[in-house]
Amino acid sequence: MAGYWGLRVGAWLEELKRTRPVFHSEADFQHALAWTAHLFEPSLRVRMEVKTAVGHLDLLISAPEQDRNLVLELKYLKAAWSGTVAGERFELANQGAQDIRGYDVVKDISRVEQLTGHAPGWSGGVLVLSNDPGYWSRPGHGRTTNADAFRVYEGSQLAGVRAWGPNTGRGTMKGRTGPIRLRGAYRCAWSGYSRLEGRRGDFRLLSIPVLDR
């Protein structure tokens, strides 16, 4: 991310890389980022799980004296990993379902667009943290799949209407049937977050700025 808020989010994430290389859950990730933002700038108003017209929002961070607001949606997409970091034990369960989780990431982008697109002083972004290479590594088979519109592989472009392929099963689409229309265009670029011991110890971050003033 770049711009006014991007510099701050970047600083918060660098601190998290140093102090929290792994999280127990998505809620743990959300809380850690919220707390880090507060420690960096106590004057910020940091709120979690805010109800909005387009559903619950993970983080709303505001600078009231400057009339600026930041909307953040976070995803923590896990593969199985276990280990001990700074004396704390972590047991991550395999989440899988990359197609469904990819839909959720694209949906988050759309939701942030809706919240920030017509509001002066509002910015937003989506942060995806994962240790599952199935999210960032494009498979070598080169075949078209029913979930191609929701893949977030390195270098993928997300823009326009994103919809399931014609042969998608009802179970896959349950609760996620509708196509998603994106107003902007976004290129997926993953960066290193942390490297821990063991299989699936490589954690990477996808940062998607939706709007940054």
Side-chain angles (χ1 to χ4, degrees), residues 103 107 150 162-164 173 175-181:
Y103 182 101
K107 185 68 174 179
F150 307 115
R162 318 304 291 179
W164 294 107
M173 293 191 297
R176 299 173 172 85
T177 57
I180 303 170
R181 182 180 296 275

Side-chain angles (χ1 to χ4, degrees), residues 133-206:
Y135 287 104
W136 63 75
S137 298
R138 192 182 301 272
H141 57 67
R143 296 190 300 271
T144 299
T145 71
N146 286 303
D148 276 357
F150 307 115
R151 297 302 188 186
V152 291
Y153 303 135
E154 175 70 25
S156 293
Q157 299 285 341
L158 302 175
V161 177
R162 318 304 291 179
W164 294 107
N167 298 316
T168 307
R170 291 185 179 180
T172 298
M173 293 191 297
K174 185 178 181 181
R176 299 173 172 85
T177 57
I180 303 170
R181 182 180 296 275
L182 298 177
R183 298 172 183 171
Y186 309 94
R187 181 180 181 276
C188 296
W190 293 80
S191 60
Y193 181 81
S194 64
R195 186 67 183 93
L196 304 177
E197 293 184 357
R199 188 171 183 270
R200 298 294 184 254
D202 180 16
F203 287 77
R204 300 190 186 186
L205 180 71
L206 173 62

Side-chain angles (χ1 to χ4, degrees), residues 12 25 29 34 50 55 80 94 109 139 165 167 169 211 213:
W12 304 337
S25 63
F29 180 27
V50 178
N94 188 57
I109 297 172
N167 298 316
L211 187 64
R213 298 185 181 90

Side-chain angles (χ1 to χ4, degrees), residues 90-111:
F90 292 83
E91 297 285 349
L92 304 187
N94 188 57
Q95 192 174 36
Q98 288 94 345
D99 48 0
I100 293 173
R101 305 306 167 198
Y103 182 101
D104 292 343
V105 171
V106 176
K107 185 68 174 179
D108 278 351
I109 297 172
S110 176
R111 291 173 62 244

Side-chain angles (χ1 to χ4, degrees), residues 2-8 67-70 115-124 209-213:
Y4 175 85
W5 276 114
L7 293 174
R8 284 157 173 76
D67 198 24
R68 290 180 180 267
N69 303 276
L70 175 67
L115 286 167
T116 62
H118 302 291
W122 286 71
S123 303
V210 173
L211 187 64
D212 190 5
R213 298 185 181 90

